[in-house]
Amino acid sequence: MQSLLQPIRNFLQVETPAGWLTEASKPENLEVLLIDHLVCELKAAQSAMLLIRRYAVDEASGQALLAWLKPFEDFTYRQVGEWRDLARHQKLSKHMLPRNDAPYSHDLIDKMVLLIKEELHHFYQVLEIMAELNIPYRNVSSSRYARGLLSHVRTHEPATLVDKLICGAYIEARSCERFAALAPLVPTRLGQFYESLLRSEARHYQDYLTLAESLAGESIQQRVDYFGQIEADLIRTSDDELRFHSGVPAAA
Ligand SMILES: [Fe+2]
Ligand SMILES: [Fe+2]
C-alpha cells in the first residue's frame, strides 16, 4: 500500500489536515460523507463520459454512453428506480468507435471506458454499504472543490483538455490519499472498502496524468504545479461544510 501511496503523496502539495480527519471520522458525519462519496463516484463517471463524448467517440457511441449512465443519474438526481437494479447496468454493451476527426483516439477511449465502469461499480458498492448501515439516500449539496479546480481550466484547445485531465488527476489523487488516511479511523467494514478503492483510484490518477502528458505534446509540469497550488489551497483553507473533498469545516 505504501508503494501505491508514495507517488500520490509526492504529487499532492499538502496532506489532508488533521482537523478534516477528526471531523470526517465522527460517527455523526458518516451519513453525509457516504452520500457525498456516492455522488462523487457518479460525477467521476460523468466527467470521464463527457470527455470522451466531447473529444473521442462517434455519435452512436456517445448515445450508448448516455444510456449507460442514465439509470445512475435517474437514481441520484430524480430519485427514480430501485438501487439494487443498478447492478444490471454496470457494463457497457456497445463497442466504442472513435470519431473520424478525433486526434485523441484509442488510448483515451479505453482508459476512460474502464474508468467509468469502475466508478459505476464503486457507486454500487457505496450503496451496498449505505444499505448495511441503514443510511437512505438524500440530496446533499456538492462541495466547492471540483468547481474550484475546473474554474481555472484554460479556454482554448488542446489546453482545455490538458487542464481538465490534470484536474482529474488531482481529484483522483486526493480521493486516494483521503481513503488511505480515513481507513483506520472509520468502522472496520468501511475501512476495508476504502482500502479496496485505493488501487483503482491510484491508477485513475496515473491514467489522467499520462493522457495529459501525451496530448499536450510538451511538458505539463508548469500546469501541474499551478493546479497543485489551487488544489492545496482548497484543501488547506476552511470550508463551509464537511464533504469528501472539502477543506477543514469552519465549525471544527
Ligand atoms: Fe471511484
Ligand atoms: Fe476514480
Side-chain angles (χ1 to χ4, degrees):
M1 196 164 105
Q2 283 313 312
S3 64
L4 217 64
L5 284 169
Q6 203 49 57
I8 282 168
R9 297 215 168 102
N10 297 340
F11 179 66
L12 297 171
Q13 293 186 11
V14 291
E15 262 178 61
T16 287
W20 185 89
L21 285 171
T22 305
E23 282 304 297
S25 53
K26 285 182 179 167
E28 64 266 35
N29 287 327
L30 189 62
E31 185 208 18
V32 74
L33 213 66
L34 271 172
I35 295 175
D36 187 53
H37 174 186
L38 176 78
V39 178
C40 285
E41 297 289 0
L42 177 60
K43 285 188 177 152
Q46 285 175 312
S47 51
M49 179 195 71
L50 285 172
L51 279 182
I52 49 177
R53 278 190 66 221
R54 164 91 174 73
Y55 291 100
V57 298
D58 71 358
E59 173 64 25
S61 303
Q63 291 302 325
L65 286 168
L66 282 178
W68 187 19
L69 265 69
K70 183 155 188 309
F72 295 87
E73 293 171 336
D74 282 344
F75 176 85
T76 307
Y77 302 122
R78 295 174 271 279
Q79 265 107 87
V80 169
E82 227 310 295
W83 72 267
R84 282 189 182 80
D85 293 339
L86 295 172
R88 292 189 285 114
H89 298 286
Q90 291 182 45
K91 282 210 190 76
L92 174 65
S93 46
K94 188 188 177 308
H95 183 66
M96 293 287 105
L97 293 175
R99 271 214 310 264
N100 288 334
D101 63 335
Y104 325 104
S105 50
H106 290 292
D107 206 25
L108 181 68
I109 296 173
D110 291 347
K111 286 189 166 123
M112 290 297 112
V113 168
L114 178 63
L115 185 145
I116 295 169
K117 190 184 290 177
E118 289 176 339
E119 306 298 15
L120 294 179
H121 181 58
H122 298 162
F123 182 92
Y124 191 80
Q125 289 179 299
V126 179
L127 284 172
E128 283 180 322
I129 290 190
M130 285 170 58
E132 281 172 34
L133 297 171
N134 264 321
I135 297 176
Y137 176 73
R138 64 175 170 88
N139 271 325
V140 163
S141 62
S142 56
S143 69
R144 65 182 185 181
Y145 179 77
R147 241 187 351 259
L149 279 173
L150 292 166
S151 65
H152 298 273
V153 165
R154 289 169 291 177
T155 54
H156 57 95
E157 298 295 355
T160 305
L161 177 56
V162 170
D163 284 358
K164 281 182 184 168
L165 292 167
I166 294 172
C167 290
Y170 273 107
I171 297 169
E172 297 284 351
R174 181 60 65 188
S175 308
C176 202
E177 187 247 6
R178 287 200 160 172
F179 287 137
L182 271 179
L185 307 176
V186 293
T188 314
R189 161 82 168 98
L190 187 60
Q192 285 168 347
F193 173 53
Y194 284 164
E195 283 179 13
S196 78
L197 294 175
L198 289 182
R199 196 165 295 279
S200 51
E201 307 304 8
R203 179 162 33 75
H204 295 169
Y205 136 77
Q206 193 55 64
D207 283 349
Y208 273 120
L209 208 57
T210 310
L211 283 168
E213 264 158 9
S214 67
L215 296 177
E218 57 183 17
S219 167
I220 57 168
Q221 195 54 52
Q222 211 191 338
R223 293 307 284 172
V224 167
D225 294 343
Y226 173 75
F227 280 105
Q229 187 66 54
I230 295 161
E231 203 271 348
D233 286 343
L234 289 164
I235 290 302
R236 215 171 1 213
T237 54
S238 83
D239 209 333
D240 295 343
E241 286 164 314
L242 176 75
R243 293 290 182 268
F244 197 84
H245 292 101
S246 68
V248 183

